[in-house]
Amino acid sequence: MNLTPLTSQSHNHRILIIDDNPSIHEDFRKILGPADAKLAEELDATEASIFGDHAGASSAQNFRIDSAFQGQEGLEKVRAACAEGAPYAVAFVDVRMPPGWDGIETISRIWKEFPDLQIVICTAYSDYSWDEIAKSVGNTDKMLVLKKPFDNVEVLQMAHALSKKWQLTQMGRKQMEELDALVNQRTAELRAANARLTGEVAERAAAEEALRRSEERFSKAFHSSPVPMAIQRPEGKACLDANISFLELVGASREAVLAGSTTFWADESTPTVLRQELAARHAVRNLGATIRTTSDETREVLVAAENLELGNAPYHLLILQDITDRVRLENELRQAQKMEAVGRLAAGVAHDFNNILTVILGNTSTQLRNPRLDKKLTCSLTQVQRAAERATALTRQLLAYSRKQIIQRRPLALNEVVEQTVAMLRRLIGEHIALDMQLAPDLPPIFADPSNVEQVIMNLALNARDAMPDGGKLTLATTRVEIDKASRARNPESQLGPYICLAVKDTGYGMDAATVGRIFEPFFTTKDPGQGTGMGLATVYGVLKQHGGWIEVDTAPGRGTTIRTFFPLSKEGFVAASAKSESLPTESTPINNTTILVVEDEEMLREFVSEALGTLGYHVLSAANGRDALNVWTEHRDEIDLLLTDVVMPESISGRQLAHTLIQDKPNLKVIFTSGYSSELFGSEFEREKEHLFLAKPYLPDRLAQTVAMHLQSQGAPEFAHANR
């Protein structure tokens, strides 16, 4: 390897003076300009005393000096010099150069682009210490400090020394580049030689190397694969090998699997089908099967199988895909879709029933007020009224299940509700059942409707009572839980975050998986005919869903049942005071010359309401839908004082849209909404319309009369009147 020797090259005599004082530039030119023989001798003597050399010839040299009077100008000159191919070796920079950059900023900017330039800082002040300069430009060996007034010899020494240093740096860099090039060249030659040798070796052992690599790749892919795989002998018992994923799936040791002492197929026909298909040279794909682990747990899998030959011996390669979680999620999705469909059907049925029940209860109530009514007819009408009231309760349960019931949520202390409900439960469950409460202290409030929570507790407790006819223990427990991602993975219906759990546990019969899959369906019951409606757990399911919670069931035949309900926490940190029920005025005398527009798409109900209000002395106008109501409004706008409208109507104009249109035309118009659904289901904007009333179906004539009278007589903005009857 030949390297160019490090020899002296033409010295770089280019020096840049950056100073705002023109006289300083003249001083530097006198010192570094045409050689002064006496000054050169002093310089030679100083060099000899420092380095111990005695040069034969004078070191007097002329420097090429350029001037810049500001930092910006200096940077431009450094750039221009480099562009010309004749860079500066040394720059003398004054510290103070007002206005513009000072010397420190000038040096920093120059070094960002030209880091090899040697710098001499010239200063006549002591306001910049070396530490301050070092903090600004960094510790470097490319910078010296020259204090004014400066000695001529010192200036020459710095100019010569730093220009030589610059030159040596460039020469060293060039030498290193040449050395790197030689090293790279030699490395390339060695690599080429090594490649040739490797190729020759590979050619001589190509077959052996290919086989070894193939086996190694297969072994690594086989053992590190997350997919369960096993190499099984054709008789279908012992295995040649099995990867870790396969062992984890079946829950057995490698020794047991290889020896064939573990039977992991839940169905004995599965291995028979695999052997037959592979014997016929058919590849098996996506064969559904069930694995039974050593802990007696079953896992659903898809099986793929191939014929495999190793060392001239036949084997079967089994590849399993665990789809247990996917099957569970699919079943849960189907169940959720079924429940949603049933809920929609129940809501529609309940809504229509509420319309019919309003007519039945209203007319029955009106007839029963007649004191001259025949006793037999009175008895018959009373039975009709009772039956209608039972139907009303059933529709409420259907609306609860379909999450369309009326609820009034507020911050609520769950423990207090449980304690109050237990007082009634002790009389209902009987003395043969022990009742235990395990209530966690200091629970934060939940955001729920108190009556709905009581309904949940009662339904779950009575359901548990029926599961323990011979006696047992009923436990009610409350805890605060934090739902994390792992918990949500086990139950997709759950939500992340803090919740309050109310658990109801019994020691009764328990249920199998098929029963659990249907317990929340409306009218599904395991009781004898006439012993239950099958709406208890369905109502619980609907209440929890409407409150933003969910239910989890833990049960097995002979092990009892634990049903856990989860309620969201209240955003407010305190329990709200119990809401006082607002009593409607008993006085329902109509205001003289009052006209009411009744809009109802159900004909019988529209006729009943119109007749009931007309009997009270109101002038009633009616319409079957929103479009008809607009036509009536056009003719009788000035007469109409109150709008009584159903919320959900056909003809693409809802009750809300109709009310909004009419109020735009007549701002002082009174409005009462009515529906078989909850007011909360019609949007947040509907909740903010506090100047209107809401009358829930079914309702009796008295409730209708009181609500209309109260709203007509009101001056302010009353809250919604949630009337059930």
Side-chain angles (χ1 to χ4, degrees):
M1 179 175 65
N2 296 322
L3 294 176
T4 305
L6 192 62
T7 59
S8 293
Q9 300 179 3
S10 58
H11 201 69
N12 184 355
H13 295 149
R14 292 203 71 178
I15 294 179
L16 177 63
I17 310 299
I18 305 176
D19 197 306
D20 61 330
N21 189 347
S23 62
I24 295 297
H25 290 266
E26 292 301 322
D27 292 343
F28 274 107
R29 292 185 185 279
K30 291 177 183 178
I31 298 171
L32 301 176
D36 186 300
K38 183 177 180 181
L39 190 60
E41 290 176 1
E42 292 178 1
L43 180 60
D44 291 339
T46 302
E47 289 183 353
S49 64
I50 294 174
F51 300 107
D53 296 330
H54 298 279
S58 175
S59 59
Q61 300 180 14
N62 292 332
F63 290 94
R64 179 180 170 184
I65 300 172
D66 291 330
S67 296
F69 295 93
Q70 290 296 331
Q72 293 92 329
E73 181 185 1
L75 176 59
E76 293 300 327
K77 289 205 171 187
V78 173
R79 288 173 178 166
C82 288
E84 295 171 1
Y88 294 108
V90 184
F92 287 83
V93 183
D94 189 17
V95 170
R96 295 178 174 273
M97 293 182 290
W101 302 343
D102 63 3
I104 302 303
E105 184 176 0
T106 300
I107 294 169
S108 298
R109 290 179 178 268
I110 290 175
W111 272 350
K112 283 182 180 179
E113 300 183 33
F114 309 100
D116 290 343
L117 182 63
Q118 305 295 312
I119 300 292
V120 178
I121 296 179
C122 304
T123 178
Y125 301 94
S126 59
D127 51 352
Y128 277 100
S129 67
W130 175 254
D131 290 338
E132 292 173 328
I133 295 174
K135 287 180 181 179
S136 300
V137 300
N139 292 317
T140 177
D141 62 349
K142 297 180 292 184
M143 183 174 67
L144 296 175
V145 177
L146 179 64
K147 292 221 174 166
K148 299 178 183 179
F150 37 76
D151 183 78
N152 295 351
V153 174
E154 187 179 6
V155 172
L156 276 173
Q157 285 177 332
M158 289 183 177
H160 281 285
L162 293 180
S163 60
K164 287 181 180 179
K165 180 182 176 184
W166 181 91
Q167 189 71 25
L168 290 173
T169 300
Q170 305 307 310
M171 293 172 62
R173 179 176 290 122
K174 183 177 180 181
Q175 194 72 49
M176 287 302 298
E177 291 174 354
E178 293 176 355
L179 180 61
D180 287 343
L182 290 173
V183 170
N184 292 337
Q185 179 183 353
R186 185 58 178 162
T187 300
E189 293 173 355
L190 291 175
R191 286 177 178 171
N194 184 60
R196 288 194 299 270
L197 292 175
T198 302
E200 293 174 0
V201 172
E203 289 175 1
R204 289 194 296 267
E208 181 180 352
E209 183 66 16
L211 178 61
R212 185 189 66 79
R213 290 185 177 181
S214 176
E215 292 177 350
E216 182 180 2
R217 284 195 299 269
F218 177 80
S219 177
K220 288 182 178 179
F222 180 83
H223 287 287
S224 62
S225 174
V227 179
M229 291 188 289
I231 301 175
Q232 196 172 43
R233 302 186 187 279
E235 66 273 12
K237 293 183 179 180
C239 291
L240 176 66
D241 203 354
N243 66 1
I244 296 176
S245 300
F246 186 90
L247 301 176
E248 291 176 348
L249 176 63
V250 301
S253 65
R254 181 181 298 275
E255 293 74 14
V257 172
L258 298 187
S261 58
T262 300
T263 302
F264 47 82
W265 297 113
D267 188 349
E268 296 181 357
S269 64
T270 302
T272 302
V273 172
L274 289 174
R275 286 195 297 270
Q276 291 174 350
E277 291 294 318
L278 294 175
R281 315 306 293 178
H282 297 158
V284 178
R285 294 288 183 272
N286 297 326
L287 174 65
T290 303
I291 293 290
R292 186 176 301 280
T293 69
T294 54
S295 59
D296 206 30
E297 179 189 3
T298 58
R299 308 289 294 180
E300 300 297 322
V301 297
L302 291 178
V303 184
E306 289 276 2
N307 287 298
L308 184 66
E309 188 172 302
L310 297 175
N312 298 324
Y315 292 94
H316 296 161
L317 174 63
L318 300 181
I319 303 175
L320 308 182
Q321 181 183 359
D322 188 356
I323 59 171
T324 305
D325 293 337
R326 189 179 80 184
V327 170
R328 176 178 58 82
L329 291 175
E330 289 175 350
N331 291 336
E332 290 175 352
L333 177 60
R334 283 194 292 269
Q335 178 70 6
Q337 291 173 337
K338 180 179 71 173
M339 300 292 277
E340 183 66 24
V342 174
R344 291 180 180 177
L345 175 61
V349 170
H351 179 262
D352 291 341
F353 262 48
N354 276 333
N355 285 337
I356 298 171
L357 289 171
T358 302
V359 177
I360 294 174
L361 286 170
N363 285 288
T364 304
S365 175
T366 301
Q367 293 299 322
L368 286 173
R369 291 177 182 174
N370 186 356
R372 294 174 296 179
L373 200 64
D374 181 73
K375 291 184 178 180
K376 290 184 178 180
L377 183 57
T378 300
C379 183
S380 297
L381 289 175
T382 301
Q383 291 180 353
V384 171
Q385 186 180 47
R386 290 175 181 174
E389 289 174 348
R390 290 183 59 188
T392 299
L394 182 60
T395 56
R396 289 199 192 105
Q397 289 180 315
L398 287 171
L399 287 173
Y401 170 76
S402 59
R403 305 187 294 283
K404 298 182 184 299
Q405 66 171 337
I406 298 171
I407 62 174
Q408 294 176 321
R409 285 180 284 184
R410 60 182 175 87
L412 187 68
L414 180 59
N415 285 351
E416 294 181 6
V417 180
V418 173
E419 291 171 349
Q420 294 168 3
T421 309
V422 164
M424 295 183 291
L425 280 177
R426 293 189 186 277
R427 297 191 298 269
L428 294 175
I429 63 175
E431 296 180 356
H432 65 295
I433 295 177
L435 182 58
D436 181 29
M437 288 193 299
Q438 300 174 2
L439 308 182
D442 302 325
L443 288 179
I446 63 174
F447 191 60
D449 184 308
S451 61
N452 283 174
V453 177
E454 291 176 0
Q455 190 177 25
V456 167
I457 298 172
M458 292 291 292
N459 285 343
L460 292 179
L462 294 178
N463 193 73
R465 178 201 64 182
D466 295 340
M468 300 182 289
D470 300 327
K473 182 179 181 181
L474 173 62
T475 304
L476 280 73
T478 59
T479 54
R480 174 173 177 165
V481 295
E482 188 75 26
I483 305 300
D484 54 17
K485 292 183 178 179
S487 301
R488 191 175 185 187
R490 293 191 294 269
N491 182 10
E493 290 190 0
S494 61
Q495 300 294 326
L496 298 177
Y499 284 83
I500 300 299
C501 173
L502 167 64
V504 179
K505 180 180 180 181
D506 66 62
T507 57
Y509 297 140
M511 296 176 284
D512 57 21
T515 303
V516 173
R518 300 191 60 191
I519 58 175
F520 299 122
E521 295 179 9
F523 308 114
F524 173 79
T525 179
T526 58
K527 301 173 185 176
D528 296 333
Q531 298 298 314
T533 63
M535 286 300 300
L537 291 179
T539 301
V540 172
Y541 176 87
V543 168
L544 266 296
K545 283 292 185 181
Q546 192 169 6
H547 280 75
W550 69 94
I551 307 176
E552 295 180 358
V553 181
D554 182 12
T555 184
R559 255 193 333 115
T561 300
T562 300
I563 296 182
R564 297 180 180 87
T565 60
F566 296 84
F567 290 91
L569 271 62
S570 173
K571 294 181 180 179
E572 303 176 10
F574 57 88
V575 177
S578 299
K580 295 182 180 180
S581 59
E582 180 184 357
S583 60
L584 292 176
T586 56
E587 179 63 39
S588 58
T589 303
I591 301 174
N592 294 331
N593 301 321
T594 300
T595 300
I596 300 175
L597 173 58
V598 176
V599 186
E600 172 62 58
D601 60 293
E602 182 67 37
E603 183 179 0
M604 288 189 300
L605 182 56
R606 184 173 67 252
E607 292 177 356
F608 161 71
V609 173
S610 299
E611 182 179 351
L613 293 175
T615 302
L616 294 172
Y618 295 106
H619 179 220
V620 181
L621 302 172
S622 64
N625 52 58
R627 295 190 183 279
D628 289 348
L630 291 176
N631 294 332
V632 174
W633 178 264
T634 302
E635 297 180 14
H636 304 279
R637 173 193 177 280
D638 297 333
E639 305 170 29
I640 298 174
D641 302 292
L642 184 144
L643 170 67
L644 175 64
T645 178
D646 193 7
V647 178
V648 180
M649 293 188 299
E651 300 295 334
S652 72
I653 299 179
S654 68
R656 282 192 63 235
Q657 293 171 331
L658 174 63
H660 179 75
T661 301
L662 300 189
I663 290 173
Q664 290 291 323
D665 189 26
K666 191 174 183 179
N668 62 344
L669 178 68
K670 302 284 188 176
V671 177
I672 298 177
F673 292 106
T674 179
S675 178
Y677 295 145
S678 166
S679 62
E680 294 187 357
L681 300 171
F682 304 123
S684 59
E685 293 182 2
F686 185 75
E687 280 294 325
R688 290 196 292 269
E689 294 171 357
K690 297 297 184 182
E691 66 272 16
H692 309 318
L693 289 184
F694 180 85
L695 182 62
K697 300 175 184 177
Y699 49 82
L700 294 176
D702 289 345
R703 185 70 176 185
L704 172 63
Q706 291 169 354
T707 303
V708 170
M710 181 188 72
H711 200 30
L712 287 172
Q713 296 168 11
S714 65
Q715 299 298 325
E719 297 289 335
F720 282 110
H722 294 291
N724 293 328
R725 294 196 48 193

